[in-house]
Amino acid sequence: TIYGEVAMPDAWDGGTVTFTHVYIQTAANTGVLNGDIACQARSNGEVPSSTWGTEIAIDDAAVVGSNSNDMTTSAAVTCAGTGLAGGDMLYWRYQLDATGTTTTVASLHHVGFNLEYTISSMSD
């Protein structure tokens, strides 16, 4: 499990987000990498919790392998929370699906996650 957080800009419209998982498989291995991502958004004065939105798959049927950048994007993710709005803290959780993953995990390097979202205005 990998956790992360980001302060959303004021212009975030509170809608769905997508995550792109960036990773490098240093072995010459092109196996499957399966995982799931979920999120929650909390405003000032709200408590982060163990309640996450529905997990969305980030699955790669064949990693590139051999030290190449690899990027796989989720479908739309709806964060748990009430009154989602710009300025909220967005917390996310990625979980590797150990049952469905066949690529060698010992040589798999999680580089990061790219977050994309829609905005309500062009200014913050």
Side-chain angles (χ1 to χ4, degrees), residues 13-96:
D13 67 4
T16 60
V17 296
T18 60
F19 292 88
T20 300
H21 184 195
V22 181
Y23 45 95
I24 297 172
Q25 173 54 275
T26 56
N29 181 294
T30 57
V32 176
L33 173 60
N34 288 348
D36 299 296
I37 195 142
C39 59
Q40 61 179 284
R42 305 290 184 228
S43 64
N44 186 32
E46 287 187 296
V47 178
S49 70
S50 60
T51 302
W52 300 92
T54 302
E55 289 186 332
I56 301 297
I58 303 181
D59 295 343
D60 187 347
V63 300
V64 176
S66 300
N67 298 308
S68 296
N69 271 325
D70 215 333
M71 301 175 196
T72 304
T73 303
S74 72
V77 180
T78 301
C79 297
T82 56
L84 305 180
D88 283 357
M89 284 297 297
L90 187 145
Y91 300 93
W92 55 267
R93 176 186 72 189
Y94 172 81
Q95 294 184 302
L96 182 74

